[in-house]
Amino acid sequence: MLGEWILALSEWLLTLTQGQEPWDAYARYLPRLMDGVWVTLQLVILSGIAGFLLAIPLALMRIARSPGLWMLAYAYIFFFRGTPLLVQIFLVYYGLSQFESLRNLGWLWTDVLSQPYWCAIIAFTLNTSAYIAELFRGAIQAVPVGELEAAQALGMSRRQQYQSVVLPRAFGIILPAYGNEVILMLKGSALASTITLMDLMGATRGAIARTYLSLEFFLLAGLLYLLMTALLIGAFRLLERVYNAHQHATHLSVKKLDAQLRDEHLEQQVK
């Protein structure tokens, strides 16, 4: 349905442009660019979710007391933070084919590991999980000691403390930095076009190869990336206000509070 609307919009714009460049080229290549936008969003969302899930055990390993665990996590994080994302994409896309055992995996090779789409998601997931793991490590260590003592006073086990107190609290702490990491991943997703994936940058390069309007289409691609970035910023701002509502408590009215809970200094701060 959305594709039909985009095609209809493209045809309508073509009737308005009347062959004037670059508007005519924009109208003709709008469906391909929108397909590229959709592929880019898929890469960012899927790799962002997978990277987040992978980062949690990495962060827990990073703060573990066992040398084997924290050294393994440290080596993983050090490698993926210390090497360029482009190199990691090439290692996954071109490097996996060097192993005959992987080429004999049947559908797992033909449908997943040999496809640029999934190779890009794997590379982005491994890269962003290293950064998010370090964010989580710092956030876990920044959880106030008083909250941990309160959980211990309630008789919570160590596992219950992490499930109910530490990890939820750490997630709220890393939200602003995590939003920045997702935005950086969105901009880094332009590298996926180097392995023949038709994301937004790949579609833009294809349009430039046919129209020779390099400046015009790069400007349009930059505008589309800017719009996607604005949407992500708005989504994370909303998530921060919902998840970290306690940080905005001073903007709430104190008139509805019980008289015994009211405080003169709090009322002055709210005013």
Side-chain angles (χ1 to χ4, degrees), residues 17-209:
T17 57
Q18 297 180 352
Q20 296 182 1
E21 298 292 357
W23 312 111
D24 185 74
Y26 287 167
R28 282 186 286 114
Y29 286 95
L30 179 63
R32 295 187 183 182
L33 293 175
M34 290 298 102
D35 289 340
V37 168
W38 175 236
V39 172
T40 296
L41 290 176
Q42 290 180 48
L43 292 176
V44 174
I45 294 173
L46 292 179
S47 58
I49 294 174
F52 181 84
L53 296 177
L54 181 59
I56 297 176
L58 282 173
L60 296 177
M61 291 171 61
R62 185 72 175 82
I63 62 176
R65 296 180 180 179
S66 172
L69 289 177
W70 75 259
M71 290 180 66
L72 182 62
Y74 179 82
Y76 176 95
I77 294 171
F78 180 78
F79 176 80
F80 284 102
R81 292 180 68 195
T83 56
L85 177 58
L86 182 61
V87 173
Q88 297 167 20
I89 294 173
F90 286 165
L91 285 175
V92 173
Y93 184 65
Y94 297 111
L96 294 181
S97 61
Q98 306 298 316
F99 300 97
E100 186 177 356
S101 58
L102 293 178
R103 298 197 302 270
N104 296 329
L105 291 178
W107 67 269
L108 186 60
W109 169 257
T110 57
D111 297 337
V112 179
L113 297 179
S114 64
Q115 302 300 316
Y117 178 81
W118 292 110
C119 286
I121 289 180
I122 292 173
F124 292 155
T125 298
L126 297 176
N127 179 270
T128 192
S129 65
Y131 286 93
I132 299 174
E134 276 297 279
L135 294 177
F136 251 120
R137 178 191 64 82
I140 290 173
Q141 295 176 336
V143 173
V145 178
E147 297 184 14
L148 297 178
E149 293 175 346
Q152 294 172 0
L154 291 174
M156 290 185 177
S157 64
R158 188 171 181 83
R159 181 177 180 180
Q160 291 175 330
Q161 291 177 32
Y162 272 89
Q163 288 181 344
S164 303
V165 179
V166 177
L167 291 181
R169 188 73 167 89
F171 178 71
I173 293 174
I174 71 165
L175 260 179
Y178 178 52
N180 291 335
E181 169 58 24
V182 173
I183 292 171
L184 289 175
M185 185 168 56
L186 170 64
K187 294 184 287 186
S189 67
L191 296 174
S193 62
T194 59
I195 55 174
T196 70
L197 190 63
M198 295 303 292
D199 64 335
L200 175 55
M201 185 55 63
T204 300
R205 293 170 63 181
I208 291 173

Side-chain angles (χ1 to χ4, degrees), residues 250-263:
T250 56
H251 300 287
L252 301 177
S253 176
V254 297
K255 295 181 179 179
K256 298 181 180 180
L257 291 176
D258 187 275
Q260 297 179 351
L261 299 178
R262 293 186 183 181
D263 183 86

